[in-house]
Amino acid sequence: MTTSPTELASVRYLNDDVRAAVDFYTTHLGFSVAFDASPAFADVRRGPLRLLLSGPTSSGARATPDDAATAGRNRIHLIVDDLDAEIDRLRAAGLTFRSEPVSGPGGRQILLADPAGNLIELFQPASSSA
């Protein structure tokens, strides 16, 4: 069964190296490639999330004002079953986190950055926390 793009939540991340971004998301975070037009653009998906990776020559990047063209404080939010296991797995792969784990009433989280500096929040809900 194929999911149509209208059934997905789409987020566009600007990247200076689309190939590095595709490798990062597919190797480390379980995304699959739906369309790859590297170095300009790629569409990677994980469940109902469609992540549009736009390089400097893509129409999405060209339409972005200069003062909004860098990675920001917004982030995608990926739910994980075991945050500590994910941290260990990703550190073993050589990835660097942008924060330490933080706990709150809703669960635990940590921030990771993609090769362009876009943030990814790995989140373990409190209901499945140890």
Side-chain angles (χ1 to χ4, degrees):
M1 182 169 124
T2 304
T3 303
S4 81
T6 59
E7 297 175 293
L8 302 172
S10 296
V11 174
R12 183 180 308 279
Y13 266 177
L14 302 181
N15 284 271
D16 52 358
D17 185 338
V18 173
R19 171 59 24 220
V22 168
D23 291 345
F24 174 85
Y25 285 99
T26 58
T27 300
H28 302 295
L29 298 175
F31 283 76
S32 60
V33 177
F35 181 76
D36 190 346
S38 295
F41 172 81
D43 173 348
V44 296
R45 299 178 186 186
R46 177 179 163 171
L49 175 59
R50 179 180 183 222
L51 189 55
L52 308 172
L53 303 170
S54 297
T57 61
S58 71
S59 58
R62 290 192 321 262
T64 305
D66 288 340
D67 65 349
T70 60
R73 295 174 52 148
N74 297 319
R75 56 195 179 236
I76 60 172
H77 178 268
L78 302 178
I79 295 175
V80 299
D81 292 328
D82 184 340
L83 185 62
D84 294 323
E86 283 299 301
I87 291 169
D88 290 345
R89 181 181 71 80
L90 295 169
R91 279 200 175 125
L95 303 184
T96 303
F97 290 88
R98 296 293 312 274
S99 73
E100 292 299 318
V102 174
S103 296
R108 297 175 58 230
Q109 62 182 283
I110 193 167
L111 297 179
L112 179 67
D114 75 8
N118 295 301
L119 295 176
I120 301 102
E121 177 181 323
L122 302 178
F123 180 80
Q124 180 180 348
S127 60
S128 63
S129 297

